[in-house]
Amino acid sequence: MAKSKNNTIFFCQNCGYESAKWLGQCPGCREWNTLIEETVVTGKNMKQTMGGIGARNAQNKPSILSDISLQEEDRISTGIKELDRVLGGGIVAGSLTLVGGDPGIGKSTLLLQVCRNLAMAGREVLYVSGEESLKQIKLRANRIGEFNEHLKLLCETGLQNIQETIQRNKPEIVIIDSIQTMYHEEVSSAPGSVSQVREATSVLMQLAKGFNVSIFIVGHVTKEGTVAGPRVLEHMVDTVLYFEGDRNASYRILRGVKNRFGSTNEIGVFEMAGDGLKEVPNPSEFMLNGKPKDASGSVVVCSMEGTRPILIEIQALVCHSNFGIPRRQTTGTDFNRVNLLMAVLEKRLGLQMGNCDAYVNITGGMKIQEPAIDLGVAMAIVSSFKNRAIDDGMLVIGEVGLSGEVRAVSQIQTRVQEAKKLGFTTCVIPKVCLESVKEIKGIQVIGVSNVREAVDLI
Ligand code: TYD
Ligand code: MG
């Protein structure tokens, strides 16, 4: 379709779906009332939008791989180990990183801490805020610590100005807080709309690649769909990090969901303290804090988050139901998976749980989908049902199949080592994995081939 200058398109504010006409329901994400008319930037306008970067790259020639030199300096450490890990070893020069997360989760705090560390290391950093005034940033900075003159602050929402400042000051790292407040003069729709967010990101990407600056973009995720979700930009940026966690709990998890320069699956764990975010180098210890002693329905399992084992407590509560249809509820794990495990327990062990309410909770607000926690969930349910506590020094690992068999899990050695490190005395693992852990001394390892054998240990 040829686009004239005043062309308008309907964009879904939730998923970015484009449509030539208005629709009540978005065919992309099935949300209602999310399509909003926006003017699109076309042809001649687009060139101005890109700020002449295209012109500078006019004599761009194809290169061969052996001609491209990589400097050692290409990764810049943020001074925060947990963040470096998620980024795949540090910030890549000229990369564009999106940090998403619910409002108030700590995105601005984390990035200001990164700014501080980088500025302290003598790098030029520019922090652009479209949300807070200089005074407010100063208040936050006071809580975090000392800053030096390498960090420059700018309160600005106009992209043209930001672009000029970057061109003038040539910082190495730029933070844009947040993309939803930025607007491009050429785009007529409101800041936060899909076309604005998309246009702003594309300008920032050109800047990052053109000037070799590393740019971090903050993006809010809202459920209402009034603000364009950062999902629209996920495909445009190099790296996407999500900051998760219960806003009421003190710890936060930074997860990489896309990374052109490293592995995803890695997580960083932080704790929100009075003076900014603190790294949690040993998350298992942190997660098991406050585990009740000799309580029925509580089991410790080991889940792998990327290359890291994390020990987590699973709690189950099974009690007699007062209503016709028993209630089943899960927090932090897959509801259907728990129902399936209960069905396996009923059928294979003959436990009559059909008239019982069941609640399964992963403590600490973690969300785990890994099948390796199946056996732990099953044992927690049985422990609560029989009202018999599981030994405090016991850790349970294993996937459960439909016929009640306990199946092998990956990276069993790492998991058992982590259990040993945290002082667990017994480890229940799938029988088929026994061979791989026989070298690990100092912890009793019990191999089970089906759920019945595991449950008999309670
Ligand atoms: P913030 O970084 O503003 O969140 P976001 O940018 O993701 O919206 O963090 C907000 C919360 O963090 C706020 O509720 C206050 C709290 N906080 C602390 O508990 N300690 C601190 O040192 C700081 C700076 C913030
Ligand atoms: Mg913020």
Side-chain angles (χ1 to χ4, degrees):
M1 185 178 72
K3 289 169 184 169
S4 68
K5 203 180 169 197
N6 294 325
N7 214 343
T8 61
I9 284 191
F10 291 87
F11 282 104
C12 169
Q13 303 294 302
N14 192 43
C15 69
Y17 184 89
E18 286 176 33
S19 167
K21 61 181 196 310
W22 187 83
L23 298 167
Q25 187 185 27
C26 167
C29 62
R30 308 247 147 238
E31 287 290 321
W32 289 92
N33 271 334
T34 53
L35 273 90
I36 290 188
E37 187 175 20
E38 292 176 14
T39 316
V40 289
V41 190
T42 52
K44 201 163 103 260
N45 290 357
M46 193 63 126
K47 277 215 190 82
Q48 295 165 3
T49 312
M50 295 309 176
I53 289 169
R56 205 190 45 251
N57 288 344
Q59 336 94 325
N60 218 348
K61 289 192 203 77
S63 322
I64 54 172
L65 272 178
S66 53
D67 284 353
I68 305 166
S69 64
L70 283 180
Q71 291 114 13
E72 269 307 296
E73 246 263 301
D74 276 349
R75 293 266 180 183
I76 306 165
S77 169
T78 59
I80 301 176
K81 281 207 197 71
E82 298 285 307
L83 177 59
D84 282 351
R85 188 207 327 269
V86 180
L87 287 171
I91 306 171
V92 175
S95 65
L96 189 61
T97 307
L98 171 70
V99 181
D102 293 334
I105 203 89
K107 302 178 293 294
S108 309
T109 309
L110 178 72
L111 290 175
L112 197 60
Q113 277 177 273
V114 171
C115 286
R116 169 174 182 265
N117 293 348
L118 291 170
M120 284 298 185
R123 295 181 188 276
E124 287 302 322
V125 188
L126 176 68
Y127 185 101
V128 184
S129 181
E131 298 195 334
E132 290 159 309
S133 69
L134 290 172
K135 282 216 177 80
Q136 286 167 325
I137 301 174
K138 170 106 183 154
L139 281 176
R140 186 199 307 276
N142 280 345
R143 298 173 75 169
I144 293 172
E146 294 275 309
F147 283 78
N148 67 9
E149 72 288 349
H150 290 296
L151 170 66
K152 308 275 188 316
L153 301 172
L154 177 69
C155 282
E156 178 62 66
T157 53
L159 265 175
Q160 224 108 59
N161 278 343
I162 294 171
Q163 189 171 335
E164 276 159 25
T165 314
I166 293 177
Q167 279 163 343
R168 206 171 336 109
N169 290 10
K170 301 211 165 30
E172 275 181 86
I173 285 104
V174 177
I175 315 280
I176 306 288
D177 189 359
S178 64
I179 192 73
Q180 272 94 11
T181 56
M182 298 299 148
Y183 77 92
H184 199 287
E185 292 80 351
E186 298 293 330
V187 184
S188 60
S189 42
S193 62
V194 175
S195 8
Q196 278 288 5
V197 166
R198 211 185 262 182
E199 210 46 54
T201 314
S202 115
V203 170
L204 291 169
M205 184 163 61
Q206 305 279 334
L207 278 172
K209 308 292 167 198
F211 291 88
N212 210 29
V213 282
S214 307
I215 303 183
F216 282 83
I217 303 174
V218 172
H220 295 297
V221 196
T222 55
K223 292 191 188 73
E224 295 76 35
T226 45
V227 185
R231 297 209 167 265
V232 181
L233 12 145
E234 272 180 9
H235 70 280
M236 300 176 79
V237 300
D238 296 314
T239 306
V240 181
L241 309 179
Y242 270 99
F243 218 13
E244 311 170 353
D246 197 348
R247 207 183 328 170
N248 304 316
S250 64
Y251 80 90
R252 307 277 189 270
I253 290 172
L254 188 66
R255 200 183 285 277
V257 286
K258 165 178 173 180
N259 195 346
R260 285 191 182 141
F261 318 111
S263 122
T264 53
N265 294 333
E266 288 293 353
I267 64 161
V269 185
F270 296 90
E271 187 184 0
M272 185 59 97
D275 50 351
L277 287 156
K278 296 270 166 296
E279 297 174 63
V280 179
N282 193 343
S284 298
E285 221 165 80
F286 192 76
M287 292 296 163
L288 294 183
N289 234 340
K291 179 184 176 311
K293 290 233 176 303
D294 291 324
S296 68
S298 157
V299 172
V300 180
V301 296
C302 183
S303 168
M304 296 299 295
E305 291 287 352
T307 54
R308 284 171 112 187
I310 296 191
L311 303 193
I312 292 155
E313 183 195 348
I314 293 186
Q315 294 189 327
L317 185 68
V318 180
C319 54
H320 190 76
S321 176
N322 291 319
F323 302 98
I325 304 167
R327 234 184 116 128
R328 304 275 157 92
Q329 197 175 318
T330 60
T331 326
T333 185
D334 187 13
F335 176 76
N336 294 323
R337 190 92 200 156
V338 170
N339 274 331
L340 185 144
L341 287 170
M342 291 189 72
V344 170
L345 291 174
E346 287 202 17
K347 179 89 180 167
R348 307 290 164 197
L349 303 183
L351 299 179
Q352 293 303 319
M353 292 189 288
N355 55 354
C356 291
D357 289 344
Y359 306 90
V360 173
N361 178 25
I362 307 252
T363 58
M366 287 278 288
K367 289 185 184 62
I368 299 175
Q369 306 289 352
E370 218 199 343
I373 67 166
D374 283 357
L375 190 60
V377 174
M379 282 180 77
I381 291 171
V382 177
S383 158
S384 174
F385 181 69
K386 297 196 167 170
N387 210 11
R388 248 184 276 156
I390 292 175
D391 179 15
D392 278 327
M394 188 189 278
L395 184 114
V396 182
I397 305 164
E399 179 182 342
V400 175
L402 286 190
S403 49
E405 82 277 18
V406 176
R407 309 174 69 104
V409 298
S410 61
Q411 307 188 58
I412 188 81
Q413 281 148 328
T414 324
R415 299 184 204 243
V416 175
Q417 289 285 11
E418 178 77 2
K420 188 181 145 190
K421 199 169 93 196
L422 286 177
F424 282 81
T425 51
T426 323
C427 210
V428 180
I429 66 166
K431 202 165 211 159
V432 283
C433 295
L434 271 183
E435 196 54 26
S436 5
V437 296
K438 68 173 191 280
E439 266 115 65
I440 303 173
K441 299 275 176 292
I443 183 164
Q444 190 196 358
V445 180
I446 304 173
V448 291
S449 51
N450 56 46
V451 216
R452 180 175 293 278
E453 287 175 29
V455 165
D456 286 343
L457 297 168
I458 301 177

